[in-house]
Amino acid sequence: VRSESSKPLDTVLAQRPGAGAQAEKGAEVRLTVSSGPGQANVPQVEGETLEVARDRLETAGFRTKVRRQDSEDVEEGTVIETSPPGGTIASRDQVVTITVSSGPKEVDVPDVTGQPEDAARSTLDALGLRVEVEEQESADKEAGTVLSQTPAAGGTARVGDSVTITVAAEPSQVSVPDVIGRTQAQATKRLQDAGLGVVRADGYRAVGFQHLT
């Protein structure tokens, strides 16, 4: 007689009469032999949590193992797929591999401070990071230069996360230099170097100026 069992195929599971019993010479001994673990339908568990998926598969008689996979589309902790796939017939002694999302891939945040905004954007975009820009007036750095970033370089972020870069903007006000006693040419150059426009006035009217934008 064949019977499904976790024992290997053709292993004797039982005998009748049992060992030690008395039997007439030539009498038959009935053996129950393993036909293996049998087969079952692999449950559909895609989209389930790992806990639910493992419980359903083990209830169906399968052993399980888990592998993690980065995914931008499937929520962390959710089953992406199984192998063999759900809906197929498999031997109950087969191990079903459950692939579970570990969420978006983690990347190292690079240092983009000191770079022009376009270069910083290109670097961050290539890693799958979104870029948000804030401006801060600066008299020391060229307009468009990245002054700082959040998160800082050396940390990690997940693909799709935002990195905020603070970019230098031209100051809206400048300090007016003292040009009294200088020649017109010297005064004009110094005022223009400071970002100011120069208007010459005749007679006793004072020299006027305007901020160059």
Side-chain angles (χ1 to χ4, degrees):
V1 177
R2 292 280 181 177
S3 177
E4 288 186 2
S5 169
S6 60
K7 298 293 184 181
L9 181 67
D10 292 335
T11 300
V12 175
L13 304 175
Q15 66 182 68
R16 187 177 180 184
Q22 297 296 310
E24 292 184 5
K25 191 173 183 179
E28 291 184 349
V29 176
R30 187 181 183 89
L31 301 179
T32 301
V33 180
S34 172
S35 59
Q39 294 183 316
N41 188 59
V42 179
Q44 296 272 10
V45 295
E46 290 84 354
E48 302 284 3
T49 64
L50 174 59
E51 182 180 0
V52 169
R54 181 181 278 150
D55 181 66
R56 289 183 59 191
L57 289 163
E58 291 178 353
T59 298
F62 297 104
R63 292 176 293 139
T64 61
K65 72 174 182 180
V66 178
R67 64 181 290 266
R68 304 281 178 174
Q69 180 177 307
D70 296 331
S71 176
E72 297 176 38
D73 304 315
V74 180
E75 185 179 354
E76 184 176 1
T78 301
V79 176
I80 300 173
E81 63 183 6
T82 60
S83 179
T88 59
I89 302 296
S91 174
R92 285 196 181 96
D93 65 350
Q94 185 167 353
V95 175
V96 176
T97 300
I98 308 171
T99 302
V100 180
S101 171
S102 55
K105 178 182 177 181
E106 282 195 344
V107 294
D108 294 327
V109 178
D111 185 0
V112 295
T113 57
Q115 297 183 14
E117 180 183 340
D118 287 347
R121 279 184 178 276
S122 179
T123 298
L124 295 168
D125 284 344
L127 294 172
L129 300 171
R130 295 187 296 114
V131 181
E132 296 184 2
V133 179
E134 296 180 353
E135 290 190 343
Q136 177 180 310
E137 291 184 3
S138 174
D140 302 323
K141 299 292 183 180
E142 185 177 350
T145 302
V146 177
L147 303 175
S148 62
Q149 65 183 77
T150 304
T156 59
R158 291 190 179 274
V159 170
D161 285 353
S162 294
V163 175
T164 300
I165 56 175
T166 301
V167 176
E170 290 186 356
S172 58
Q173 293 187 335
V174 295
S175 178
V176 180
D178 182 5
V179 296
I180 302 300
R182 297 180 181 272
T183 67
Q184 179 181 323
Q186 292 172 333
T188 298
K189 183 177 186 307
R190 191 167 185 193
L191 290 166
Q192 289 177 339
D193 287 346
L196 298 167
V198 179
V199 178
R200 189 179 70 177
D202 295 326
Y204 295 98
R205 288 178 294 170
V207 173
F209 60 86
Q210 62 184 31
H211 181 211
L212 291 176
T213 57

